[in-house]
């Protein structure tokens, strides 16, 4: 005897902890939230890329979103409406290349990117001499910087608007420096029409002090003075930082300890960016008016009303077939269950 299935099964989301706010208490704007999931079968590296993207979107995302083969896009839309989700990041894979769709809830538009190259966060950490990625970085959302998108083209303007709203906006008059821990950089190349996607951690280092003093200030640990005769030996024994740090005045800024108070003393610090991944090279190939459907507003392979190229048409058909295969199988199973009952 076959077991009974719940026809109304939906994706399970384990809460991250507590009830997340929906409105910023400072700016009063709605906080953007996201779902990162896949459509169709993904190989192992792309599954890890999906987890890296979920971690990048923290804290306003479902880190432990569980999917099944029977879930259709409508299930995620229904679940997202109750959780005030504003953006979808959807990964898919065809025979030619992987794709990333960035969709705006609830009625679109949808940006479709072709992933030419990508590197996982683990690969980037393995290539670094001193990787640094503490869990405290992901307690606050990252800043986003867009470079090269000001060409005046309509599809780039739409892309800019969607990426600017994917993370919460900040108010420079009230923002705390401790909340600026990460940055997402998107650089558009006009010649190749490719977008470099990078994810960095932000770190401030004091300038003009010795290495020992710098480590003492940053780590807040009592130094070992047993082998020294005087405290002055600890201050004078270690040399200063590298010549590039001392000479590069453009890399230093004056930051106050509390940006909301003007009278606090400011310290001279150097801003250090360290890549933490993931890294992607994207190409915008299509913009749809609706949520993964609707009129085509932009097509990289030709005009909207012109005939599409054979390769692009095959890629779209493969992607649509993989995304709709689960939905057709689910409908067939439901029809069989109704007939047997």
């Amino acid at each position: 005897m076959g077991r009974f299935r719940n026809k109304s099964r939906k994706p399970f989301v384990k809460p991250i902890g507590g009830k997340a706010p929906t409105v910023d208490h400072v700016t009063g704007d709605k906080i953007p939230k996201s779902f990162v999931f896949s459509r169709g079968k993904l190989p192992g590296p792309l599954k890890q890329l999906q987890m890296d993207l979920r971690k990048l979107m923290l804290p306003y995302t479902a880190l432990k979103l569980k999917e099944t083969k029977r879930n259709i896009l409508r299930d995620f839309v229904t679940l997202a409406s109750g959780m005030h989700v504003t953006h979808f990041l959807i990964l898919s894979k065809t025979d030619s290349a992987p794709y990333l769709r960035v969709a705006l809830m609830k009625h679109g538009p949808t940006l479709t990117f072709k992933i030419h190259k990508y590197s996982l966060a683990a690969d980037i950490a393995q290539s670094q001499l001193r990787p640094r990625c503490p869990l405290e970085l992901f307690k606050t959302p990252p800043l986003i910087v867009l470079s090269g998108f000001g060409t005046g083209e309509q599809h780039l303007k739409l892309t800019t608007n969607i990426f600017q709203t994917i993370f919460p906006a900040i108010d420079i008059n009230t923002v705390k420096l401790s909340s600026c821990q990460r940055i997402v950089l998107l650089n558009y190349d006009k010649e190749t029409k490719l977008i470099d996607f990078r994810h960095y951690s932000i770190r401030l280092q004091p300038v003009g002090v010795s290495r020992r003093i710098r480590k003492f200030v940053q780590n807040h640990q009592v130094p070992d003075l047993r082998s020294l005769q005087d405290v002055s030996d600890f201050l004078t024994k270690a040399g200063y930082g590298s010549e590039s740090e001392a000479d590069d005045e453009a890399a230093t800024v004056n930051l106050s300890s509390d940006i909301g108070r003007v009278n606090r003393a400011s310290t001279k610090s150097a801003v250090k960016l360290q890549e933490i991944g993931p890294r992607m090279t994207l190409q915008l190939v299509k913009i749809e008016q609706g949520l993964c459907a609707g009129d085509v507003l932009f097509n990289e392979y030709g005009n909207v009303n012109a005939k599409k190229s054979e390769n692009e048409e095959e890629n779209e058909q493969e992607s649509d077939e993989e995304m709709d295969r689960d939905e057709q199988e689910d409908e067939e199973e439901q029809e069989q269950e109704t007939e047997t009952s």
Side-chain angles (χ1 to χ4, degrees):
M1 181 178 179
R3 64 176 184 177
F4 293 97
R5 299 180 183 175
N6 186 5
K7 298 180 181 180
S8 60
R9 172 178 280 184
K10 297 179 180 179
F12 171 73
V13 179
K14 185 177 180 179
I16 299 176
K19 187 176 180 181
T22 58
V23 179
D24 194 334
H25 68 283
V26 177
T27 61
D29 298 333
K30 184 178 179 181
I31 297 178
K33 299 181 180 180
S34 61
F35 273 175
V36 182
F37 57 95
S38 62
R39 303 297 294 144
K41 294 183 180 179
L42 295 181
L46 279 180
K47 289 182 180 179
Q48 186 58 45
L49 177 63
Q50 176 180 310
M51 294 303 301
D52 290 346
L53 288 176
R54 288 182 181 179
K55 194 174 181 181
L56 182 147
M57 300 299 295
L58 285 176
Y60 301 115
T61 190
L63 183 61
K64 297 183 179 181
L65 178 66
K66 295 183 179 180
E67 321 164 41
T68 63
K69 294 181 179 180
R70 292 186 296 272
N71 290 138
I72 59 178
L73 184 60
R74 185 166 57 252
D75 296 336
F76 294 98
V77 174
T78 304
L79 183 63
S81 300
M83 300 184 66
H84 306 282
V85 174
T86 58
H87 293 78
F88 280 172
L89 277 74
I90 308 172
L91 281 170
S92 61
K93 176 70 170 63
T94 65
D95 294 336
S96 58
Y99 288 85
L100 173 66
R101 295 188 181 187
V102 181
L104 185 65
M105 279 285 292
K106 181 174 184 182
H107 304 290
T110 303
L111 309 178
T112 302
F113 296 94
K114 181 179 180 180
I115 305 177
H116 287 263
K117 296 184 295 183
Y118 67 92
S119 298
L120 303 177
D123 298 332
I124 294 177
Q126 190 176 5
S127 64
Q128 296 174 348
L129 182 61
R130 295 182 180 87
R132 175 183 174 272
C133 189
L135 296 178
E136 289 76 12
L137 295 178
F138 303 95
K139 292 183 178 180
T140 56
L143 308 176
I144 186 166
V145 176
L146 303 176
S147 175
F149 287 86
T151 60
E153 298 180 79
Q154 192 64 30
H155 64 281
L156 292 181
K157 289 183 180 180
L158 185 57
T159 304
T160 302
N161 293 335
I162 292 181
F163 276 109
Q164 284 179 342
T165 59
I166 204 170
F167 296 115
I170 62 173
D171 186 358
I172 59 175
N173 297 320
T174 58
V175 66
K176 295 182 179 179
L177 296 180
S178 58
S179 64
C180 302
Q181 298 287 333
R182 295 180 293 139
I183 183 171
V184 175
L185 173 63
L186 278 77
N187 181 41
Y188 177 75
D189 192 341
K190 299 178 183 179
E191 298 181 357
T192 60
K193 296 184 179 181
L194 298 179
I195 300 175
D196 292 328
F197 186 99
R198 300 289 187 270
H199 183 209
Y200 298 93
S201 64
I202 303 175
R203 190 177 184 182
L204 297 179
Q205 292 185 354
V207 175
V209 296
S210 63
R211 292 182 182 272
R212 288 193 173 185
I213 297 297
R214 182 187 303 168
K215 291 182 179 180
F216 173 72
V217 173
Q218 293 177 348
N219 299 332
H220 302 283
Q221 295 179 354
V222 178
D224 186 6
L225 304 177
R226 290 176 297 178
S227 60
L228 303 178
Q229 304 245 349
D230 190 58
V231 180
S232 60
D233 296 337
F234 175 78
L235 302 177
T236 58
K237 184 176 181 180
Y240 283 85
S242 62
E243 295 180 358
S244 61
E245 294 180 359
D247 297 337
D248 192 4
E249 295 294 337
T252 62
V253 291
N254 292 326
L255 298 176
S256 60
S257 58
D258 187 355
I259 198 170
R261 300 179 182 178
V262 181
N263 295 329
R264 296 291 294 270
S266 60
T267 58
K268 195 172 184 180
S269 303
V271 179
K272 299 293 183 181
L273 298 181
Q274 184 172 358
E275 189 172 5
I276 57 179
R279 177 194 303 177
M280 293 184 292
T281 301
L282 308 174
Q283 180 186 9
L284 180 63
V285 295
K286 187 173 62 173
I287 299 179
E288 296 170 293
Q289 188 174 5
L291 183 62
C292 299
D295 298 335
V296 178
L297 303 179
F298 169 76
N299 187 359
E300 176 61 27
Y301 298 97
N303 296 330
V304 177
N305 297 325
K307 185 178 180 180
K308 300 177 182 180
S309 63
E310 295 180 359
N311 294 334
E312 201 273 337
E313 186 176 357
E314 291 177 358
N315 293 337
E316 284 189 357
Q317 290 178 355
E318 292 173 358
S319 180
D320 293 338
E321 288 176 359
E322 291 183 0
M323 294 179 64
D324 296 338
R325 187 177 296 117
D326 296 336
E327 182 177 358
Q328 294 176 358
E329 292 177 356
D330 185 60
E331 291 178 355
E332 292 177 358
E333 291 177 358
Q334 291 181 2
E335 290 178 359
Q336 294 177 0
E337 290 177 0
T338 55
E339 291 178 358
T340 54
S341 61

